[in-house]
Amino acid sequence: AVLFVDRLDTYRLQTVDVQIIEALTARFGQGIWALTMFVLTHGNVPTPAGQTYGPFAEQRASLLRDAVRKVAPDALTAQMPSTVVENGSRCKTNTEGERVLNDGTVWLTQLLSTLVSLVQADEKLDVESALEVTDVYGARRRWMVWPLLAVQMLVLKPLMCRQVRLDPDFN
């Protein structure tokens, strides 16, 4: 499962959200959205006047879903569930000490149950094929690690230690 984390209290879609959606789609393909769950943070934000908590949270998730569907048309059938979380110090708790949202939902239980239902789906993401075109660990330049480490330990560290000892403000 992929957790796409964004703020609940952002009232419109930001450019960075669209850029992230485009980058994820380009890298992993449109199938990634069938495995994605939107996690909306800052769950204790007050709702706008005249709106209840559930529709308010769903409106934000719908903005994200619509942005995904514009970038990835094959994601039209993807569920993309959403859940709201709040872990701040001002988060309300119930009688059992569990953190709850403004509507009384225990957010951790909600998050885990939504995540489990998403993971139990038959969809799989082929991460290896998505990353095989990328030299993730820099295999072509991996040989440079040892010489650079030697230069750092034998040259740079002694120079830096000498400068620190000579600095009158340090001692």
Side-chain angles (χ1 to χ4, degrees):
V2 177
L3 303 180
F4 189 100
V5 181
D6 203 2
R7 293 178 64 128
L8 175 63
D9 58 350
T10 306
Y11 296 102
R12 62 185 124 124
L13 198 64
Q14 296 178 340
T15 307
V16 71
D17 293 327
V18 175
Q19 290 171 342
I20 291 169
I21 290 167
E22 289 171 346
L24 286 172
T25 304
R27 173 59 64 195
F28 296 106
Q30 295 186 29
I32 192 171
W33 301 110
L35 301 168
T36 301
M37 177 172 105
F38 293 115
V39 179
L40 303 172
T41 62
H42 296 79
N44 274 346
V45 66
T47 58
Q51 204 170 16
T52 57
Y53 194 77
F56 170 66
E58 186 55 36
Q59 180 181 7
R60 177 67 180 141
S62 292
L63 281 174
L64 293 169
R65 282 187 202 103
D66 291 344
V68 166
R69 290 180 177 126
K70 282 181 187 170
V71 173
D74 289 352
L76 285 174
T77 59
Q79 236 183 349
M80 294 181 280
S82 65
T83 187
V84 181
V85 300
E86 173 60 59
N87 202 26
S89 60
R90 296 182 183 161
C91 185
K92 301 172 190 172
T93 56
N94 62 12
T95 56
E96 288 91 36
E98 300 169 313
R99 294 180 183 256
V100 296
L101 300 172
N102 289 344
D103 65 351
T105 305
V106 179
W107 69 262
L108 185 58
T109 306
Q110 179 72 26
L111 173 69
L112 292 177
S113 65
T114 307
L115 186 59
V116 166
S117 66
L118 184 63
V119 168
Q120 288 177 340
D122 289 336
E123 298 289 330
K124 302 284 186 261
L125 180 64
D126 188 12
V127 176
E128 284 82 20
S129 67
L131 294 177
E132 74 184 13
V133 295
T134 306
D135 189 10
V136 178
Y137 299 108
R140 291 186 305 233
R141 295 183 195 96
R142 194 174 296 155
W143 65 271
M144 295 176 62
V145 170
W146 294 110
L148 289 173
L149 181 63
V151 167
Q152 185 175 358
M153 295 302 292
L154 300 173
V155 178
L156 293 177
K157 183 179 178 190
L159 284 174
M160 295 302 292
C161 290
R162 181 171 173 259
Q163 284 300 109
V164 168
R165 279 193 299 267
L166 294 176
D167 187 2
D169 293 332
F170 184 74
N171 296 325

